[in-house]
Amino acid sequence: MRGTFSDLFWRRPKLLLFLMLLPPLLWLGIVYIGSLFALLLQSFFSIDEFSGLINRQFTLKTYGDLFQAANLDIILRTVTMAALVTLASAIIAFPIAYYAARYARGRWKALFYLGVMLPLWSSYLVKIYAWKLILAKEGILTWLLAKLNLLWLLEAWLSLPIVGGNSLSVSFTGTFIVFVYVWLPFMILPVQAALERVPGNLVEASSDLGASPGQTFRNVLFPLALPGIVAGSIFTFSLTLGDYIIPQIIGTSRLFIGQAVYSQQGTAGNIPLAAAFTVVPIVIMGFYLWGAKRMGAFDAL
């Protein structure tokens, strides 16, 4: 029997390929896409305001509720945070990735990869709670600024509206800092991979032709590294957009999309509105991935 199947698969390689792909395709089609379809279906229902029960009649009322001032504020806050985290991660990651791609060799390159990957091996919750202690009013950062006689600068920043708060651990700024720290490795690695594809003779030729370092960066390095930056931004933007834990532990009482989904489904019992909130990041990332593909970002993944 084994020989018969072996001969069959040898004569029909497409049949073997189909059988090998069938389990993951079933998983993807039933579990992943099926759950997304069920989620999308729930978002077209509404909740009865008197009984609190789900009205399973198709309506766009729930999506209309997303445009209420409070819900729209949650969406804009989350998208703004995701965009700022992505921009900051790109600015910080580029010089690190450039050094690793152009100068690090042998043991130093291995040390670079270890330094970038090591934070990813530790517990997600442990890192967040560690940052909560660091950013607290009695934390090491406040102590360090006090020793440097810069505590007035921190207090002035925390007194600002929107970005400030009682301490960094309960502020928009603190949430931003932790987001950048947690997702930074996902930006460094694609940018480093893209920069390694840049031939060194292009940079040398730019210098030989009289270009300044700034001109070389603008006209040679940055355009060639842009697909890697966009590829890294896919991770940083999407992960920030859907994260629930960091804003729950570090930050103010102002909600993000992940927290809104939890409160609507778990506390308020408004599953249609929770599903509609969940569709928002999916739609945003759909357009984002479409734009990233046009810029060649997937070639740098």
Side-chain angles (χ1 to χ4, degrees):
M1 185 177 294
R2 185 172 9 177
T4 302
F5 280 113
S6 178
D7 294 340
L8 177 64
F9 292 146
W10 182 80
R11 288 194 302 267
R12 299 186 178 183
K14 292 184 178 180
L15 176 61
L16 177 61
L17 180 63
F18 172 75
L19 293 176
M20 292 177 64
L21 292 177
L22 185 60
L25 287 176
L26 287 175
W27 174 268
L28 181 66
I30 297 175
V31 177
Y32 183 70
I33 298 179
S35 62
L36 285 179
F37 179 76
L39 179 68
L40 180 64
L41 189 65
Q42 291 278 354
S43 66
F44 287 102
F45 298 152
S46 63
I47 192 167
D48 190 280
E49 297 178 357
F50 297 100
S51 64
L53 299 176
I54 298 176
N55 183 10
R56 300 185 181 277
Q57 292 182 349
F58 281 88
T59 178
L60 294 177
K61 177 181 177 299
T62 304
Y63 282 101
D65 292 340
L66 289 178
F67 292 95
Q68 293 179 0
N71 295 332
L72 193 59
D73 184 55
I74 292 172
I75 296 172
L76 293 176
R77 183 183 304 114
T78 307
V79 174
T80 301
M81 175 64 80
L84 291 175
V85 169
T86 299
L87 179 62
S89 298
I91 294 173
I92 297 171
F94 195 92
I96 300 173
Y98 181 78
Y99 174 81
R102 298 283 296 169
Y103 299 106
R105 295 291 183 272
R107 186 178 301 174
W108 287 106
K109 196 149 199 172
L111 187 62
F112 160 78
Y113 282 115
L114 181 64
V116 172
M117 299 296 292
L118 192 61
L120 300 178
W121 299 344
S122 58
S123 171
Y124 179 73
L125 281 175
V126 168
K127 290 186 291 186
I128 297 173
Y129 277 109
W131 270 103
K132 187 174 181 65
L133 294 176
I134 293 172
L135 299 175
K137 186 175 290 188
E138 302 82 9
I140 187 173
L141 185 60
T142 304
W143 173 83
L144 179 62
L145 291 175
K147 289 294 183 182
L148 297 174
N149 295 320
L150 294 175
L151 196 57
W152 62 271
L153 184 61
L154 175 62
E155 292 175 350
W157 180 263
L158 292 177
S159 65
L160 296 174
I162 301 177
V163 298
N166 293 330
S167 70
L168 284 174
S169 63
V170 287
S171 67
F172 191 86
T173 304
T175 310
F176 168 78
I177 292 172
V178 179
F179 268 133
V180 172
Y181 167 78
V182 172
W183 306 139
L184 185 60
F186 296 95
M187 177 65 78
I188 293 176
L189 295 176
V191 176
Q192 187 261 345
L195 287 172
E196 282 199 340
R197 296 193 183 103
V198 179
N201 55 9
L202 289 181
V203 179
E204 296 172 1
S206 176
S207 178
D208 292 340
L209 292 172
S212 65
Q215 290 174 322
T216 301
F217 172 77
R218 291 191 301 271
N219 300 318
V220 179
L221 278 176
F222 183 74
L224 294 175
L226 187 59
I229 296 173
V230 176
S233 71
I234 293 172
F235 296 109
T236 55
F237 189 82
S238 61
L239 291 171
T240 305
L241 204 61
D243 193 272
Y244 156 75
I245 299 176
I246 292 178
Q248 184 72 14
I249 298 175
I250 298 177
T252 64
S253 58
R254 296 191 290 267
L255 299 179
F256 286 74
I257 288 179
Q259 295 168 290
V261 172
Y262 175 80
S263 63
Q264 292 296 334
Q265 182 172 353
T267 306
N270 193 343
I271 296 178
L273 185 56
F277 262 118
T278 310
V279 171
V280 172
I282 296 175
V283 173
I284 293 174
M285 285 310 303
F287 284 104
Y288 196 87
L289 292 173
W290 174 77
K293 183 180 179 181
R294 291 178 60 88
M295 299 181 70
F298 295 118
D299 297 333
L301 287 174

